[in-house]
Amino acid sequence: MRDDTPDETRRVQLSRTFDEDAELYDRARPGYPPELFDDLAEVAGTGPGCRVLEVGAGTGKATLPLAERGCRITAVELGADMAAVARRNLAGFDAVEIVTADFETWPLPKEPFDAVVAATAFHWIDPAVRMVKAADALRPGGALAVVATQHVAGGTEEFFAEVQGCYERFDPAAPAGLRLPAAADVDTSDHTDEVARDGRFGPVVLRRHEWDLTYTTAQYLDVLRTYSGHRALPPEAREGLLGCIAGLIDGRYGGRVTKRYLTELRVSRRV
């Protein structure tokens, strides 16, 4: 089970759902563990003065910590509303520019970047374009840093087993008996293979962080409303699903559940 491999036949359609409620996305979506940005500085060189091209910046969940570390950032975001929220969130940083555009067709500036960063966004970019354009954007020795977020076993494990019944009831596409994988069982070697096929990058360096976040019922429903698969459900099915989940959390888990995330950083240098 992977959370960064959308159905290619629906990738474009699903990628556009995030802009439907940018304020909710900004409020409900978690950021990233601070250790991730320590890793980025160590492995990708994202320190003071580093020229960063961020792909799929969203509302600035990763942009802000990078800006606070002194990076000079050009952040490209497809959604106009998401970009507007990002501009508000980054208003205090003169060295940050938010560009509303799709990365695939956005013309690269003449001066290459020190790092290309994509935080929970690289899988939404056209696979035929993303590696080639990332390499074109970088100076020799520059770093491609891809951050992926996976939902893994942990936290309130009984809830995540039980809630599958809600999905099977309201989402016809939900696989029967699905369970969250252990972090150690999440195989992301396809990214390493993709980098190797491109031929313009060195070996991939991996760093992983598991972390837990506790949600109230309302908070958990809000974060679910930001997920593309949930947003793409027919309204009646989506509301039925969310109602079923709310009833389970309130009725059996005291109105609070803990979710475990796996954040993986994948860094490769342009040769």
Side-chain angles (χ1 to χ4, degrees), residues 97-122:
E97 178 189 14
I98 310 294
V99 178
T100 306
D102 65 276
F103 177 66
E104 290 91 337
T105 61
W106 178 67
L108 291 172
K110 291 182 179 180
E111 184 181 358
F113 292 88
D114 300 313
V116 172
V117 176
T120 320
F122 205 61

Side-chain angles (χ1 to χ4, degrees), residues 139-156:
R139 62 168 175 79
L144 170 62
V146 174
V147 179
T149 301
Q150 312 286 347
H151 307 292
V152 295
T156 313

